[in-house]
Every structure is written in structure tokens, then in C-alpha cells.
Amino acid sequence: MTAGPPVPPDPEDAPSASMPGGAPASIDPASTATAASPPRALVRSPLSDGEWHRMHPLTPLFRGGFALVVVAGIIIANFRDRLIYLFLPDELDGEMPEDPVDFVIDNNLILVALLAVLGIVLLLIALFYVSWRFHTFRITGDDVEVRSGVLFRTHRRAPLDRVQGVNLTRPMVARLAGLAKLEVVGAGLDANVKLEYLSTANAEAVRADILRLASGARLGEAGTDAAPRAGSRVSAAASVVSAGITGIIDGAEEPVAEPASVVHIPIGRLIASRLLSGSTIGLVVAIIAIIVGSVLGTPWILFSMVPTVIGFGAYWIRSITKSLRYSIAPTPSGVRITFGLFTTVTEIVPPGRVHAVQISQSILWRGFGWWTITVNRLSGRGLADTSTDQFTTVLPVGTRADVERVLRLVLPHLPESEWPLIFEHGVLGPTADDPYTNSPRRARLLRPLSWRRNGFDLTPDALLLRKGFIWRRLAIFPLARLQSIQIAQGPVDRALGVANLHAHTITGPVSGSLGIVDRDAALRVFEAAEAGVMTATAGDRSHRWAGDEAHASDQDEHRDA
């Protein structure tokens, strides 16, 4: 099924202005729509024409799924004994339990009960219909907008020039119906705009349109897609369930004309990396300590451990399932990352949206040659959203070859001459001809294990911070995304002539702190980084990464005309 016909704008949502005296001045809605919408001849998807459209008709059912689960739970709780008697009569000694069904039959209220059930069903259908009618979206040349709510209206807008990415999420149940949720990632706290739900085909087409508009290019250059015929809805509805079941096996994006993943993670490596994680080791140590404590005289401690084990087990399994079917590949609109076994999430990170990259390796992984890559990027989510961490890991576990492939995707503009600074000197260093500026020998007592590795290097494109012995880390900060640099000293630092360097970027798992470096070297990198950031920012074109191309195309068309 496809989205409904265009919805005329509500009168209260029409733009208005005021005259100097305070009287409202009318604005022609037709001229407003024409100015806000891209030309119809250049629109690729029928849903990206600047008009208001409704979500998929099944949207209220999936958005209100939790309420339906609660209602089903109440019904099952009231009829639990009857269900047990129906399937296992011996468990209740052959006696039928009393429940509301017996009351209805004994008092001859069958017709009243059926009418009540019918009324509730009709009320739910009416509520779902009204909710669907008032849940609309539109895509203009400047914004993605969503309106929802009946009594309390909500109008959210995401400017296209501030789009940080577009995520396509397919929960397992929604996949059976061929639906997907689109989330436009904004550049602020709780700034995301969600289009839930659309058919998978429409969601992919709309995502491509949003990314193309955000790039500064025109939709017409991508061609036009044929709109689905009205007569094909019956056959589409008949095959949607089987297509959803096939999608669980093949993946959310199959088949899609996208390049294959540059990294493939074996399931054995993924499970082994979780077993060799710090959280697993910590849990084992805690279990041993509790067992020893119970043997020595406090056995009740064992019971307090059960919820912890169950919770950790659920977390451990979830960390594996969300990394299954992982893939990462380049696309014309950015880096496409897919992950998740049951609920599949596909996100596309446009160029220039990664603010920091970190390669890290635990001492437990060192013998296997495994690393993980995390990034700092705007997620557009609220502080209470616990799912933000899954959007910061771009490589859960990989070999050196995997790390290099992923880095070339998330840092595409890094010159070839600087790559030895990343892996040879940064991740595996220090080497004999180490180009990094490391902690001085006089301060080795403050970093007894890592003072030889603890250092930095500044290139014309990035600031590199290398640290850690037990946990090897290399943090890469593109200068075009760097916000500021701070130098701090404590009383011990002043006595030893060292300082602490801190690169400021957006909040994320990548830390910009580097302690115990030579004070004079820190001052030099402070001044050099200031000039480097200004130069890199002036030459950065990633904000509208296809703008130059679109401008050149417009000039060519003008010359041809």
C-alpha cells in the first residue's frame, strides 16, 4: 500500500504576517506552496513534491502497539484459568473456573456483551482513523515537516541543510507488514523528525530524496520513479507478508542496488569478542567473589546475584544480536551502516558528519589482532534515549584490514601521505622513528605504563591523540570539525613542566583529553591548531556536499539554453 493522496494544509497552519498597526496581513497560500516546494518536474518521488501526505494506513496500529499489548495482557489475565482448563483440564481437577464469561451466560447478557465488544472495536477503529488523518508529512526544498495529534497538535521541522543522517528502522513485526520507520537526524538535542510508518519502497525513495536535497543537488538529476498503480494494491497486499518474512532472512535492504559491504564479521569472532570484553570479565570476578562470600557464611548473597546474572545475560545477547548482519558500504550520499538481527537499522551518514574517530584495542584482543572503531556524531536524540550508543560504533570488532577499510570510508579526505600516521605510528606505535610528540621522561611517574605511547601529532587535516597501554587508543579529530583546544595545568604539572591537552568536540565516546605532554610542545600545537582549524573550515565543502556539482550543472544548462 502507498501513502494517501495529498492533504490540503489546515487553515491554522497557513503562514501569516502582521502589518505595522498589528492587523494581520493575508498571504497567498498558492504562492507560499510554490516558493517552498521544489518544481514538480524535478521531483523524483511522488511523496517529495512539497505537498502534505499521510503515513501508511497501518501506522496507528504499530504506533499504538504497546496499548494493544496491555489490553491483551488484561484479557489473558482474566481468562487465564479458562485457557488452562481448555488445554490442560487435569491441572484444575476437571472443574471449570468462574470468570466473566460465566457471569454473562448466567445473566443472559450475551447480546449486550457482543454489542459492547463491537462498540469497543468500532471506537478503536475510529481513534486509529482520526489519528491517521491528522498524522501528515511533507518534504520541501528546505525542510522535512511532520504534523501529528488531534487535541494537542505537534509540528516538527528538520532543516535539510542541518541533516546529520537518515536512519531507516524496520522492527521485526513491522517488517512482516512491509513497513519501515524513517528518522531524519537533526543537529540539536531531541531534534529528530520521524516518519513512521511508510512502506519500505516509499521509505527508501523518500530517504534518497532527503539526502539528495540535503546535498544541495536537485531531485530531477536522479530520474523519476513510476508511481504505483491503484490496481496493483490487491496483489501488493497479498504478497506483503511473504516479502516481510523473506526480508527477515535476507535483510532489510535486499535487494537494493547498493555496493556490497566492505567488512564481514564472522559470528564466532563477534561472540568471542563479547566473551573477552571487560564487562564479561567483571561479571565473572563478581560471581567468584559472591560464591566465596556465601561459602564463608552469607549464603543469601547468592539470591541477590540472580537478577544481575539475568540482566547481564539479556544485555550480552542483545549486544550480539544488534551487531549481527552488520555491513558498511559507501554510497553517493555517504556511508551506509546496517546492523541488527530482529530490528534492523540502516543509517546513512552524509559526508562531514563525523566529528571524531577512535580506534581502540583491549589487551584481551591484542593476541587476536582485533580493534573496534567508535565515532562522535550528532544523533539528534534526547539525553534519556539509551539507544544512542548503537549509532556511535561503526565497527564492533575487526582486523587491521577491516579497520583500514572503515577508516577510508569515514575519513575520505585524509591524504594518502598521512595514512602511516594512523596505523603504523598511531595504533601500533611507537616505532623507532616515531613522529609523535610524546610525554617527557621526567613525567614518566605520572604515566608509568603508557608514557612512551602517550603523545600527539598535528597534520594539515587532523589532530591525532595517541594514548593507553592496557587499552590502546588513537583518537582522530578532523580540523574542520574541531570546536576548540584547551591547555590546563595543575600544581604538579607546573613543577614538571608538563600540561594537559584537550580537544573539544561534540559529546560522544571519543575523548579529546591527553595528559602529561611537554608544556612548550602543547603551546606550539595550540597555536598551530588554531591556524589549521581556520584554514580547514574555510575550505570545507561537506555541509552541502553536492552543491558545487549542482551549481556547475545549472551553469551548463544555462549555457546550453
Side-chain angles (χ1 to χ4, degrees):
M1 288 182 284
T2 60
V7 181
D10 292 344
E12 66 268 21
D13 294 325
S16 61
S18 298
M19 299 293 288
S26 61
I27 295 180
D28 185 8
S31 62
T32 303
T34 303
S37 307
R40 291 183 181 275
L42 301 178
V43 171
R44 189 182 77 162
S45 169
L47 302 181
S48 305
D49 57 359
E51 302 291 340
W52 289 101
H53 296 273
R54 295 189 178 94
M55 304 292 178
H56 194 280
L58 294 180
T59 292
L61 179 63
F62 287 98
R63 294 190 70 195
F66 180 75
L68 296 179
V69 170
V70 172
V71 172
I74 295 174
I75 294 175
I76 293 175
N78 282 276
F79 294 95
R80 178 190 59 186
D81 292 339
R82 180 173 290 272
L83 293 174
I84 294 176
Y85 179 81
L86 180 63
F87 295 101
L88 301 171
D90 295 337
E91 296 294 330
L92 296 176
D93 299 328
E95 296 182 2
M96 173 68 73
E98 295 186 0
D99 53 33
V101 174
D102 296 323
F103 176 81
V104 170
I105 296 175
D106 295 340
N107 293 274
N108 196 22
L109 298 175
I110 298 177
L111 181 60
V112 176
L114 291 178
L115 291 176
V117 172
L118 179 61
I120 293 174
V121 172
L122 293 177
L123 178 62
L124 288 176
I125 293 176
L127 291 176
F128 282 179
Y129 177 76
V130 172
S131 175
W132 173 71
R133 289 280 300 182
F134 282 83
H135 193 183
T136 58
F137 73 95
R138 74 173 177 180
I139 300 171
T140 69
D142 300 314
D143 305 284
V144 178
E145 302 176 63
V146 174
R147 299 184 308 190
S148 61
V150 180
L151 297 179
F152 300 95
R153 302 295 302 275
T154 301
H155 191 160
R156 298 183 67 88
R157 177 185 290 111
L160 289 171
D161 59 351
R162 294 176 62 83
V163 169
Q164 303 298 307
V166 182
N167 303 331
L168 192 150
T169 305
R170 298 185 68 193
M172 185 175 64
V173 178
R175 290 166 67 185
L176 296 175
L179 302 184
K181 176 174 64 176
L182 208 62
E183 184 175 12
V184 182
V185 181
L189 189 63
D190 195 22
N192 292 1
V193 172
K194 298 179 182 180
L195 279 63
E196 50 181 351
Y197 285 82
L198 301 172
S199 66
T200 303
N202 283 340
E204 291 179 354
V206 168
R207 177 175 64 178
D209 288 350
I210 292 173
L211 288 170
R212 187 158 182 81
L213 288 170
S215 72
R218 299 186 307 177
L219 293 179
E221 298 175 8
T224 57
D225 293 338
R229 298 187 303 272
S232 64
R233 291 188 178 184
V234 176
S235 60
S239 62
V240 70
V241 175
S242 61
I245 296 175
T246 304
I248 289 183
I249 301 174
D250 293 337
E253 300 297 326
E254 297 292 342
V256 176
E258 297 283 4
S261 175
V262 301
V263 172
H264 299 279
I265 304 177
I267 296 179
R269 182 200 301 170
L270 184 61
I271 295 176
S273 66
R274 295 298 179 265
L275 287 174
L276 295 176
S277 64
S279 57
T280 303
I281 301 300
L283 180 67
V284 172
V285 172
I287 291 176
I288 294 175
I290 289 176
I291 292 176
V292 172
S294 63
V295 170
L296 295 179
T298 54
W300 58 268
I301 296 182
L302 287 175
F303 295 99
S304 64
M305 191 63 188
V306 174
T308 303
V309 173
I310 293 176
F312 179 81
Y315 165 79
W316 193 79
I317 294 175
R318 186 168 60 251
S319 67
I320 294 177
T321 56
K322 78 176 185 180
S323 299
L324 291 175
R325 207 160 56 197
Y326 161 88
S327 68
I328 182 169
T331 71
S333 299
V335 181
R336 188 199 67 184
I337 306 173
T338 303
F339 53 88
L341 178 62
F342 302 111
T343 296
T344 302
V345 179
T346 302
E347 58 172 337
I348 293 184
V349 183
R353 268 54 176 183
V354 175
H355 292 249
V357 181
Q358 179 173 273
I359 312 158
S360 57
Q361 181 190 61
S362 167
I363 194 172
L364 301 174
W365 291 6
R366 200 160 299 169
F368 301 94
W370 297 340
W371 287 267
T372 183
I373 299 180
T374 54
V375 298
N376 283 0
R377 52 168 295 213
L378 291 171
S379 65
R381 297 172 179 265
L383 296 176
D385 194 334
T386 58
S387 63
T388 306
D389 61 335
Q390 67 185 2
F391 296 100
T392 60
T393 301
V394 296
L395 180 62
V397 55
T399 62
R400 172 175 177 172
D402 297 335
V403 170
E404 291 181 349
R405 294 190 191 102
V406 173
L407 287 179
R408 290 183 184 274
L409 293 182
V410 298
L411 299 172
H413 301 298
L414 200 65
E416 192 67 28
S417 59
E418 297 181 7
W419 279 104
L421 295 173
I422 302 296
F423 218 95
E424 298 295 338
H425 300 294
V427 176
L428 301 178
T431 59
D433 54 342
D434 188 16
Y436 281 70
T437 301
N438 301 320
S439 297
R441 175 179 289 272
R442 62 180 180 274
R444 63 184 182 275
L445 293 179
L446 300 179
R447 293 289 188 274
L449 297 178
S450 62
W451 69 274
R452 295 180 185 274
R453 272 186 53 84
N454 198 64
F456 65 87
D457 191 25
L458 180 66
T459 73
D461 302 282
L463 174 64
L464 311 177
L465 303 182
R466 184 184 67 188
K467 53 188 173 181
F469 176 77
I470 297 177
W471 282 90
R472 288 181 175 178
R473 292 185 176 91
L474 175 68
I476 307 169
F477 297 87
L479 294 184
R481 308 267 81 82
L482 198 60
Q483 297 178 357
S484 65
I485 293 182
Q486 174 184 335
I487 298 178
Q489 273 187 315
V492 178
D493 299 329
R494 288 195 294 269
L496 296 175
V498 296
N500 302 309
L501 193 66
H502 192 97
H504 290 145
T505 181
I506 64 173
T507 304
V510 182
S511 172
S513 298
L514 182 69
I516 318 305
V517 296
D518 183 76
R519 173 185 174 277
D520 295 335
L523 291 175
R524 288 194 298 270
V525 76
F526 182 88
E527 297 176 356
E530 180 183 7
V533 167
M534 296 180 64
T535 302
T537 303
D540 181 43
R541 294 293 181 268
S542 61
H543 183 59
R544 303 280 273 185
W545 64 93
D548 295 340
E549 175 190 348
H551 180 66
S553 177
D554 291 340
Q555 288 182 335
D556 293 340
E557 292 179 2
H558 181 71
R559 284 195 298 267
D560 294 339

